[in-house]
Amino acid sequence: MNKRSMMFGVAIALALAAPARAADVPVDTGLWEMQMTMSMGGIQIPAETLEKLKKMGVSPPGQPTTTTSQSCVTQQTLDKFGAMPNQNGRCHQENLQRTDRSMSFDMVCDSPQNNAKGHVTVQFDDRTHVHGTVKMAGTHTDGSGKTMPFSVDATQSGHWLSRECGAVQPMQ
C-alpha cells in the first residue's frame, strides 16, 4: 500500500464518514479548506530511497506530514455522504455511533494484499468547522509475498471559506 493511496483513503474516510442523509450532515456547502496531519509506521524503505526522499523534502514514513487542500462541497457531495470507499467491496463499517454533532465507527478492510482495522471519528463543531481522527493498523503483502505491518494515525480539521468554489472542482 503506498502512502498516497492510504492518504486518499484516510481523507475520504473522514470526509465521507458514515451512513447519513444529506439533511443529517450539519455543514454548509461551498469552498472548504482541509488540513490533514498523518503519520505512518511500519513501512520499511531502503536507506538509499530514504535519502532521496529527504533530499526531495519529503517526510519519511513515521514522521508527521501535514497537507492542506481545498474542496468544493456541493449538495451532490452531501447527498453521497456516507458512501465509504469500499475498495471493491473489501471494506466495511462496524459499530457506528452517531449524535447530532459527531459520529464514529470502526473500519475493516480485507484483501489479498492489505488487511487493516481502524477507528474513525468526526466532530461537527458547527456548520463551518469540522475535525476528526483516523487510527488504523494492519498488514501489507508486497509483490514478493513478504508481509509487513503498518499503522496510520491521522487528524483532520476543516473550515468553510465561502459559498462560491471558484475554480475548485466539486468533490466526487
Side-chain angles (χ1 to χ4, degrees):
M1 174 180 296
N2 68 38
K3 186 174 179 178
R4 185 179 193 121
S5 65
M6 178 58 76
M7 270 186 82
F8 178 75
V10 170
I12 295 299
L14 281 172
L16 302 173
R21 296 182 317 273
D24 294 337
V25 183
V27 298
D28 288 344
T29 58
L31 185 62
W32 280 77
E33 185 169 88
M34 302 300 288
Q35 185 174 60
M36 178 186 291
T37 300
M38 184 173 73
S39 295
M40 293 183 68
I43 297 173
Q44 299 171 358
I45 296 179
E48 64 185 39
T49 304
L50 191 57
E51 284 304 315
K52 287 179 185 177
L53 289 174
K54 288 180 182 177
K55 287 179 182 176
M56 293 172 28
V58 175
S59 296
Q63 300 293 315
T65 302
T66 300
T67 57
T68 301
S69 62
Q70 292 185 348
S71 300
C72 182
V73 176
T74 65
Q75 187 59 48
Q76 283 183 312
T77 306
L78 296 179
D79 290 344
K80 292 179 183 179
F81 189 87
M84 185 181 106
N86 67 7
Q87 305 292 312
N88 296 319
R90 297 181 183 134
C91 293
H92 65 276
Q93 300 170 350
E94 298 176 348
N95 305 318
L96 173 66
Q97 302 292 315
R98 183 168 171 83
T99 71
D100 62 340
R101 291 282 175 208
S102 68
M103 65 178 67
S104 67
F105 62 92
D106 297 323
M107 185 166 54
V108 179
C109 298
D110 292 308
S111 75
Q113 294 82 24
N114 299 301
N115 294 295
K117 292 182 180 184
H119 189 73
V120 176
T121 63
V122 178
Q123 179 73 40
F124 303 104
D125 301 317
D126 56 41
R127 294 195 63 82
T128 60
H129 295 88
V130 300
H131 70 274
T133 61
V134 174
K135 293 188 182 294
M136 294 192 73
T139 59
H140 169 72
T141 303
D142 66 15
S144 70
K146 181 179 178 182
T147 299
M148 298 171 282
F150 71 89
S151 63
V152 175
D153 287 311
T155 60
Q156 186 171 16
S157 62
H159 64 276
W160 182 85
L161 297 173
S162 71
R163 290 233 178 265
E164 300 300 321
C165 292
V168 177
Q169 296 297 308
M171 292 177 65
Q172 297 297 320

PDB file of all heavy atoms in Angstrom, residues 48-58:
ATOM      1  N   GLU A  48      18.824   4.040   0.744  1.00  0.00           N
ATOM      2  CA  GLU A  48      19.079   4.952  -0.384  1.00  0.00           C
ATOM      3  C   GLU A  48      17.802   5.674  -0.813  1.00  0.00           C
ATOM      4  O   GLU A  48      17.839   6.848  -1.169  1.00  0.00           O
ATOM      5  CB  GLU A  48      19.715   4.209  -1.552  1.00  0.00           C
ATOM      6  CG  GLU A  48      18.823   3.153  -2.167  1.00  0.00           C
ATOM      7  CD  GLU A  48      19.522   2.348  -3.250  1.00  0.00           C
ATOM      8  OE1 GLU A  48      20.714   2.033  -3.081  1.00  0.00           O
ATOM      9  OE2 GLU A  48      18.863   2.043  -4.255  1.00  0.00           O
ATOM     10  N   THR A  49      16.659   4.985  -0.769  1.00  0.00           N
ATOM     11  CA  THR A  49      15.392   5.626  -1.101  1.00  0.00           C
ATOM     12  C   THR A  49      15.033   6.662  -0.048  1.00  0.00           C
ATOM     13  O   THR A  49      14.545   7.755  -0.377  1.00  0.00           O
ATOM     14  CB  THR A  49      14.266   4.583  -1.226  1.00  0.00           C
ATOM     15  OG1 THR A  49      14.653   3.611  -2.198  1.00  0.00           O
ATOM     16  CG2 THR A  49      12.956   5.223  -1.625  1.00  0.00           C
ATOM     17  N   LEU A  50      15.298   6.348   1.206  1.00  0.00           N
ATOM     18  CA  LEU A  50      15.040   7.278   2.299  1.00  0.00           C
ATOM     19  C   LEU A  50      15.846   8.555   2.120  1.00  0.00           C
ATOM     20  O   LEU A  50      15.331   9.663   2.296  1.00  0.00           O
ATOM     21  CB  LEU A  50      15.372   6.602   3.628  1.00  0.00           C
ATOM     22  CG  LEU A  50      14.932   7.292   4.901  1.00  0.00           C
ATOM     23  CD1 LEU A  50      13.436   7.530   4.907  1.00  0.00           C
ATOM     24  CD2 LEU A  50      15.337   6.461   6.100  1.00  0.00           C
ATOM     25  N   GLU A  51      17.099   8.433   1.722  1.00  0.00           N
ATOM     26  CA  GLU A  51      17.948   9.608   1.481  1.00  0.00           C
ATOM     27  C   GLU A  51      17.408  10.448   0.327  1.00  0.00           C
ATOM     28  O   GLU A  51      17.397  11.669   0.388  1.00  0.00           O
ATOM     29  CB  GLU A  51      19.397   9.193   1.220  1.00  0.00           C
ATOM     30  CG  GLU A  51      20.134   8.780   2.467  1.00  0.00           C
ATOM     31  CD  GLU A  51      20.132   9.862   3.548  1.00  0.00           C
ATOM     32  OE1 GLU A  51      20.382  11.048   3.240  1.00  0.00           O
ATOM     33  OE2 GLU A  51      19.846   9.506   4.709  1.00  0.00           O
ATOM     34  N   LYS A  52      16.957   9.788  -0.729  1.00  0.00           N
ATOM     35  CA  LYS A  52      16.381  10.514  -1.865  1.00  0.00           C
ATOM     36  C   LYS A  52      15.141  11.288  -1.435  1.00  0.00           C
ATOM     37  O   LYS A  52      14.942  12.437  -1.840  1.00  0.00           O
ATOM     38  CB  LYS A  52      16.028   9.547  -3.001  1.00  0.00           C
ATOM     39  CG  LYS A  52      17.217   9.014  -3.739  1.00  0.00           C
ATOM     40  CD  LYS A  52      16.771   8.050  -4.843  1.00  0.00           C
ATOM     41  CE  LYS A  52      17.966   7.412  -5.518  1.00  0.00           C
ATOM     42  NZ  LYS A  52      17.548   6.434  -6.541  1.00  0.00           N
ATOM     43  N   LEU A  53      14.288  10.662  -0.619  1.00  0.00           N
ATOM     44  CA  LEU A  53      13.085  11.339  -0.132  1.00  0.00           C
ATOM     45  C   LEU A  53      13.456  12.573   0.671  1.00  0.00           C
ATOM     46  O   LEU A  53      12.860  13.643   0.506  1.00  0.00           O
ATOM     47  CB  LEU A  53      12.248  10.395   0.730  1.00  0.00           C
ATOM     48  CG  LEU A  53      11.522   9.268   0.011  1.00  0.00           C
ATOM     49  CD1 LEU A  53      10.868   8.331   1.026  1.00  0.00           C
ATOM     50  CD2 LEU A  53      10.489   9.820  -0.948  1.00  0.00           C
ATOM     51  N   LYS A  54      14.445  12.437   1.555  1.00  0.00           N
ATOM     52  CA  LYS A  54      14.880  13.574   2.376  1.00  0.00           C
ATOM     53  C   LYS A  54      15.383  14.720   1.515  1.00  0.00           C
ATOM     54  O   LYS A  54      15.073  15.878   1.763  1.00  0.00           O
ATOM     55  CB  LYS A  54      15.958  13.136   3.370  1.00  0.00           C
ATOM     56  CG  LYS A  54      15.427  12.282   4.503  1.00  0.00           C
ATOM     57  CD  LYS A  54      16.559  11.881   5.444  1.00  0.00           C
ATOM     58  CE  LYS A  54      16.052  10.985   6.553  1.00  0.00           C
ATOM     59  NZ  LYS A  54      17.157  10.534   7.427  1.00  0.00           N
ATOM     60  N   LYS A  55      16.181  14.391   0.472  1.00  0.00           N
ATOM     61  CA  LYS A  55      16.720  15.426  -0.424  1.00  0.00           C
ATOM     62  C   LYS A  55      15.605  16.129  -1.196  1.00  0.00           C
ATOM     63  O   LYS A  55      15.734  17.287  -1.563  1.00  0.00           O
ATOM     64  CB  LYS A  55      17.723  14.815  -1.395  1.00  0.00           C
ATOM     65  CG  LYS A  55      19.035  14.458  -0.729  1.00  0.00           C
ATOM     66  CD  LYS A  55      20.005  13.834  -1.711  1.00  0.00           C
ATOM     67  CE  LYS A  55      21.289  13.436  -0.984  1.00  0.00           C
ATOM     68  NZ  LYS A  55      22.216  12.737  -1.880  1.00  0.00           N
ATOM     69  N   MET A  56      14.510  15.398  -1.452  1.00  0.00           N
ATOM     70  CA  MET A  56      13.375  15.990  -2.165  1.00  0.00           C
ATOM     71  C   MET A  56      12.467  16.779  -1.233  1.00  0.00           C
ATOM     72  O   MET A  56      11.489  17.387  -1.659  1.00  0.00           O
ATOM     73  CB  MET A  56      12.562  14.881  -2.845  1.00  0.00           C
ATOM     74  CG  MET A  56      13.310  14.206  -3.964  1.00  0.00           C
ATOM     75  SD  MET A  56      12.518  12.717  -4.674  1.00  0.00           S
ATOM     76  CE  MET A  56      10.796  12.947  -4.418  1.00  0.00           C
ATOM     77  N   GLY A  57      12.765  16.737   0.073  1.00  0.00           N
ATOM     78  CA  GLY A  57      11.938  17.442   1.038  1.00  0.00           C
ATOM     79  C   GLY A  57      10.701  16.675   1.450  1.00  0.00           C
ATOM     80  O   GLY A  57       9.771  17.248   2.014  1.00  0.00           O
ATOM     81  N   VAL A  58      10.673  15.368   1.174  1.00  0.00           N
ATOM     82  CA  VAL A  58       9.525  14.534   1.522  1.00  0.00           C
ATOM     83  C   VAL A  58       9.787  13.896   2.883  1.00  0.00           C
ATOM     84  O   VAL A  58      10.842  13.313   3.108  1.00  0.00           O
ATOM     85  CB  VAL A  58       9.302  13.437   0.454  1.00  0.00           C
ATOM     86  CG1 VAL A  58       8.186  12.491   0.860  1.00  0.00           C
ATOM     87  CG2 VAL A  58       9.031  14.068  -0.900  1.00  0.00           C
TER      88      VAL A  58
END
